[in-house]
Amino acid sequence: MKKQVIEVPVMSDKVRALGLPCSTAVKANGFVFISATPPVDMVTGEMVRGDIEVQTEASLKALKHCLEAAGTSLDNVVMVRIYAVNSGFYNAINRVYARYFSTNPPARSFVPVASWPMEFDIEIECVAVA
Amino acid sequence: MTKEIVEVPVLSAAVRALGVPLSLVTRAAGLVFVSGMPPLDLLTGKLVKGDIEVQTEASLKALKHCLEAAGTSLDNVVMVRIYAVNAGFYNAINRVYARHFPENAPSRTFVPVASWPMEFDIEIECVAVA
């Protein structure tokens, strides 16, 4: 198998419980690809509610958790895509994001999206070096 | 290190005929990158019309065709991004998608978008191991 599906504690269970045809993290060719993470609590697997800063913090914590399960880290992230329902919160999102990527930040796209049929306002995906 | 452009039967010619400045598939450093595929007919290169399930099936078939032109396959896909005009169709899209990725599913992001100035409601892109 050229690719390896990574089991991520709590997250992978949640995705399976929802019956989603998706792996939280996949490793291949020296890279780790993390599915977009909404603000999910890494202990309970429940959606974290709150303002955009609370949600951004939770998404980034979840992303960090996925990266570490895959044997890598935030430092090794090369590309991030932020998907946000309200681009008016650009500055608020950046304030939280900058705490997680303070030096040598990865390449990034900020994507304003329509909305998901679920109660959250942000998702963050990334690609990292394994 | 250089990149290769992969020629996809029928579809690459359709893109050229429209004068759109893109390659459907590129390959570099052991990875294959496929442009967002709308629902295209593999024989005619024209848009497939129909409900979201018909369109999702057609997009995925076109994606498979592109991957095979590049010498790889759906099994080797590591990351997928689905772009959909109506997030209300999340479950319908997942039903079709799950048939094409029944096990070891790739990482994935579902992106609700505004809309394209063309008559389709979904595009699917991916990254695969070559």
Side-chain angles (χ1 to χ4, degrees), chain A residues 78-94:
Chain A
V78 291
M79 178 83 209
V80 169
R81 288 177 188 84
I82 299 174
Y83 302 91
V85 163
N86 184 345
S87 61
F89 288 131
Y90 187 68
N91 293 337
I93 291 167
N94 274 334

Side-chain angles (χ1 to χ4, degrees), chain B:
Chain B
M1 178 106 17
T2 55
K3 79 188 189 206
E4 297 167 61
I5 307 298
V6 176
E7 177 72 16
V8 181
V10 176
L11 302 186
S12 292
V15 168
R16 274 192 295 271
L18 289 167
V20 181
L22 68 83
S23 297
L24 279 179
V25 185
T26 59
R27 184 165 51 211
L31 293 174
V32 172
F33 301 86
V34 184
S35 295
M37 297 300 303
L40 290 172
D41 184 295
L42 301 184
L43 294 178
T44 64
K46 302 224 174 299
L47 281 176
V48 172
K49 307 269 168 89
D51 69 17
I52 195 63
E53 271 143 334
V54 166
Q55 293 189 48
T56 305
E57 182 79 36
S59 282
L60 288 165
K61 282 205 163 93
L63 202 70
K64 178 174 190 282
H65 180 74
C66 288
L67 290 164
E68 287 167 2
T72 185
S73 68
L74 284 178
D75 279 348
N76 289 329
V77 172
V78 291
M79 180 81 205
V80 171
R81 291 178 193 90
I82 298 173
Y83 301 93
V85 162
N86 185 344
F89 287 132
Y90 187 68
N91 292 337
I93 291 166
N94 274 335
R95 270 197 305 274
V96 177
Y97 183 96
R99 293 203 296 267
H100 291 265
F101 295 108
E103 44 177 25
N104 295 322
S107 293
R108 191 183 90 168
T109 296
F110 181 95
V111 189
V113 296
S115 70
W116 295 272
M118 286 167 278
E119 294 182 31
F120 58 85
D121 305 303
I122 188 167
E123 272 197 359
I124 307 180
E125 66 167 71
C126 75
V127 179
V129 186

Side-chain angles (χ1 to χ4, degrees), chain A residues 57-68:
Chain A
E57 182 92 39
S59 282
L60 288 165
K61 280 203 164 97
L63 205 67
K64 177 174 191 285
H65 177 83
C66 293
L67 289 162
E68 288 166 2

Side-chain angles (χ1 to χ4, degrees), chain A residues 2-3 23 29 33 35 81 125, chain B residues 29 81 105 107-109 130:
Chain A
K2 289 180 174 182
K3 78 189 193 202
S23 295
N29 216 53
F33 300 85
S35 295
R81 288 177 188 84
E125 65 164 76
Chain B
R81 291 178 193 90
S107 293
R108 191 183 90 168
T109 296

